[in-house]
Amino acid sequence: MRKWQSISIAVTAAAIMLTSACGGSQDGAAPAGAAVSVAPSGAAATPGGAGAGTVVGGVANVAPSAAGKLSIWESAELGPVVTDSAGFTLYRFDKDTAQPSRSNCAGECATTWPPVLADDASAADGMDASLLGKVARADGTEQLTLAGWPLYRFAKDTQPRQSNGQGVGGTWFAAAPDGTKANADTASGSGYGADADAGQTEELPPLSTVDNADLGEIVRDGEGRTLYRFTKDTDWPMKSNCVDACLDKWKPAKPVDAGAVEGIDPKLLSTYTRPDDGTEQLALDCWPLYWFTGDQTPGDTNGQGVGGTWFAVKADGSLAK
């Protein structure tokens, strides 16, 4: 009898530990820093330019390759954007570092965001050639850098002069010729640019609650944006089912310092590692959180009830209805 009781207690304890971890493995997504095998440093580019390849289901089969002579694309939305010799947009990753240069995108991340190799790369006309450099990756290949930032292609850019990777995860941005983020003020499509900032003078905590006349107390981020839940996501195991085109309108919320939040129990906060690009997303009570690009000013709740699946959240993670 005692033996059976011991087993029962152990099983119960294990279940509690798994519950607190929000489901644990998250479909086996590899961490962003995992090692990755890429094409040899001297690999020839496929026809059509650096990194070009076949397209399957709207995703290019892209392998790391030499950039050739860079060019500058004058994007109507982003301004000047650096592209490779084939015209494909080059991106930088906020989780990388420029001083010193270091890439933190590997494993599955590097499949979605193939590193641009430094072989034969040269500056575009009008670009400061001294800004170009290279950094050694864990597998020994050398990745092209711009102003210290490692450069990447995006697998879902299937044609030249596309910028489908802009603002993905709140951490990926097209590179401007000086190495900064292209059109950084409005890059993520949030509508929270200079005009929106002018209407909000208070400095907000990274995560807090606000009283909404229709929904009651709801959660907002540090920019005053309403945060939402997607009812097609799951909390056990914790998983986001907002992918591909969904992410054009619903942006994953960034993790925050739990010690700086207000009105929310820090113990309910966790992070979800997205398997599509390796970025981390804020979760509340094990539910991934998002903000809506259709909310133009702080306090907007235009995403409420969209498709019958998107809802603002309360401080305990439940839906605000």
Side-chain angles (χ1 to χ4, degrees), residues 215-219 304-305 310-314 317-321:
L215 303 174
E217 194 173 43
I218 58 175
V219 178
Q304 180 70 5
W310 290 93
F311 298 93
V313 295
K314 298 179 181 180
S318 61
L319 301 178
K321 291 186 177 181

Side-chain angles (χ1 to χ4, degrees), residues 4 7-8 31 45 111 116 124 156 158 160 164 189 215 219 223 258 263 272 282 311 320:
W4 173 251
I7 294 173
S8 177
T111 300
V116 177
K156 293 183 181 180
T158 58
N164 298 319
L215 303 174
V219 178
E223 295 185 42
Y272 168 70
L282 177 65
F311 298 93

